[in-house]
Amino acid sequence: MKIAFFDTKPYDKPAFEKYGAEKGITFKFYETKLNEDTVDLAHGADGVCVFVNDTVNAAVIDRLCELGVKVVALRCAGFNNVDMKHAYGKIHVLRVPAYSPYAVAEHAMALLLTSIRRIHKAYIRTKDFNFSLGGLTGFDLHGKTVGVIGTGRIGRVFINICRGFGMKVLAYDKFPAEGLEDGENIRYVSLDELFENSDIISLHCPLNEETRHVIDASSIEKCKRGVVILNTSRGGLVDAEALLAGIKSRKVGAACLDVYEEESELFFEDKSGHILEDDTLARLISMPNVIVTSHQAFLTEEALSNIAETTVNNLVELLNNNCCENELCHKCSGAEGCRGRKCF
Ligand code: NAI
């Protein structure tokens, strides 16, 4: 099986080459992202392997089908960059639903601690032998209330970490998890109640039409003064202009962003020699109480290995059964060998 691998980074190759060689899958690695201009690179391939900022819109799907490409293998959990409605009935779409919820949840906590204990400031000071403490006063997490939007795999790991710090948890999920509430320190509440009572808000839900800009001017207005916003999920969950306004007005005390709505042309790339065109991002980064990492939360050795292994297994399962447990949309419903699982 030949797979055209888009948006390749050096850290992707070792694990994919290892698991691919074990299962007879050849990856052809391209640094470019998949989009209308690059889709023809998939010529001769059975499938494409893509990541969060590749474009799998209707035009790309149609061209992939014309080229005889049978499968889009996402090497990530989120699939908001795929036009699922258009893909249905035309091409298989596989994903890696979970690779390390710990990687993302631990990064969220790393960002939170860095921000509220001013570690990013202290690191730069002591590098310059500046041992003063002025302006580095933080606050205890113990006893604070964290609002967690999305209590799936990552959200629940994050809740456990927060409980370890002695925090109270207000949770919101469209589909609440059974058995999560403990009657005292973890409670499901309405979104408004979460906004009104949380000292920290962390986003762990997928990006869809219901969740787009769940953090906007009106939700920020409902929040406590000094609220800390954490987004390690998807950039589109936060209206960046509204967040910036909230920071300028001092309503938002701090923001930690691993994702950004307009990240696709920026994140994962070295833009240090360039003029940043995005004024909102530039202004956010310039703020002393904003920390931005470039979609790094997934980046642990464990997660990279799991991503490669699951992607290869997905492709092998599809090849053998014409169906795959981690398929999002397929054209073989009811066909022999199809186990009809988790299909859209
Ligand atoms: P999951 O599917 O286990 O959990 C998502 C939760 O969100 C579910 O409990 C679901 O019921 C809930 N949800 C769905 N619609 C909702 C709505 N309208 N309002 C509130 N909650 C809603 O997903 P998982 O593995 O926990 O991942 C969460 C998100 O994290 C992914 O969608 C992805 O966008 C992001 N992610 C970010 C990474 C990074 O490197 N920064 C890496 C991996 C995932």
Side-chain angles (χ1 to χ4, degrees), residues 143-146 159 163 166-171 179-189 193:
K144 295 293 183 303
T145 299
V146 60
I159 287 171
R163 287 296 304 132
M167 301 173 81
K168 292 186 172 56
V169 178
L170 297 179
L180 183 68
E181 289 183 296
D182 66 358
E184 193 183 355
N185 292 311
I186 307 175
R187 285 194 300 128
Y188 275 109
V189 294
E193 205 179 327

Side-chain angles (χ1 to χ4, degrees), residues 120-180:
H120 54 309
K121 298 278 165 202
Y123 175 80
I124 291 167
R125 277 194 202 180
T126 54
K127 278 276 174 203
D128 201 27
F129 307 124
N130 173 355
F131 301 112
S132 68
L133 294 181
L136 298 186
T137 308
F139 63 81
D140 292 2
L141 285 181
H142 184 90
K144 295 293 183 303
T145 299
V146 60
V148 178
I149 301 180
T151 56
R153 281 169 284 244
I154 296 169
R156 288 203 299 273
V157 173
F158 185 70
I159 287 171
N160 278 341
I161 294 172
C162 291
R163 287 296 304 132
F165 279 81
M167 301 173 81
K168 292 186 172 56
V169 178
L170 297 179
Y172 173 78
D173 197 298
K174 194 174 176 192
F175 309 99
E178 266 180 46
L180 183 68

Side-chain angles (χ1 to χ4, degrees), residues 77-78 97 99 104 149-155 172-175 204-208 210-211 232-234 258-259 295-298:
Y99 33 90
V104 182
I149 301 180
T151 56
R153 281 169 284 244
I154 296 169
Y172 173 78
D173 197 298
K174 194 174 176 192
F175 309 99
H204 299 289
C205 57
L207 174 63
N208 55 39
E210 285 173 355
T211 59
T232 55
S233 198
R234 283 292 180 269
D258 186 51
V259 285
H295 210 133
Q296 180 190 335
F298 74 98

Side-chain angles (χ1 to χ4, degrees), residues 286-299:
S286 77
M287 293 287 183
N289 52 353
V290 174
I291 297 178
V292 175
T293 51
S294 55
H295 210 133
Q296 180 190 335
F298 74 98
L299 196 61

Side-chain angles (χ1 to χ4, degrees), residues 83-95:
D83 185 336
M84 292 301 301
K85 278 192 187 144
H86 197 78
Y88 183 78
K90 295 190 178 75
I91 196 161
H92 295 277
V93 182
L94 317 179
R95 69 163 178 157

